[in-house]
Amino acid sequence: MIEVLVVDDDVRVARVNAAYVEKVPGFRVAGRAHNAAEALRLLETLPRLDLVLLDHYLPDDTGIDVVREMRRRGHQADVIMVTAARDVSTVQAAMRHGALQYLVKPFAFSGLRGKLEAYAELRRTLDGGGEAGQAEVDRIFGVLSAPSAPGLPKGHSPTTADLVRRSLTGAEGPLSAQEIAERTGLSRQTAQRYLRLLERTGRARLSLRYGDAGRPEHRYVWATRG
């Protein structure tokens, strides 16, 4: 699980954002903070923290200052700015201090989900370790900024669609939603949703495997195979 700290001065917004995080498979809220001091205290006391969703406008300091202090103290948790601050200078400062992404308020659940799914994909890519050639480096840097794929319905992440596609194209034969989920780290429901999308758009083919009893198992293969 990816452990997340949600930081927002508005208690209601923090609660909503935390609920959004918990809806994305593979993510768990480790804590919530409503000011800079509380955020830094939790960074010191929580046993593990992978990602901080950080507002910029806090009552006792700015989000940028929190990131700066995090790095000064040696905290390596990743940061996604989630804020109403739209001025270019703040965006630029966030980039310079190592924020991975910047999500402007207000946003829908799909907006945050896309950022989180892209972040999860980045972690899966980096967990492979080893050396990287230029193509691999370009892919790593492109994960978080992948453009919206044409034809994807609202609420669907191009990163997740590509993750499912790569599982299908790399498979020896048809795969079920459960098998896709095990290969990608997605939930079975998410894998099934994207498989149905790929099948509806002609990118994947559906076949049925009948067992001794019960409903047939839906299995998918990339449409251009063989």
Side-chain angles (χ1 to χ4, degrees), residues 27 42 45 50 57 74 92 94 113-114 117 120 124 130 142 145 149 157 160 166 177 183 190 192 203 215:
F27 289 83
L42 288 174
T45 57
D50 302 304
Y57 296 123
Q92 186 180 53
R113 181 177 63 191
E117 288 177 343
R124 282 190 289 267
S145 58
S157 162
T160 304
R166 285 190 280 114
R183 289 174 178 230
T190 298
Q192 184 67 65
R203 295 179 176 90
R215 300 174 61 184

Side-chain angles (χ1 to χ4, degrees), residues 40 44 64-76 97:
L40 292 168
E44 298 285 355
I64 301 301
D65 287 331
V66 171
V67 180
R68 186 183 294 113
E69 182 63 16
M70 284 173 57
R71 301 310 181 219
R72 190 189 70 79
R73 297 185 185 186
H75 296 298
Q76 299 303 313
H97 287 88

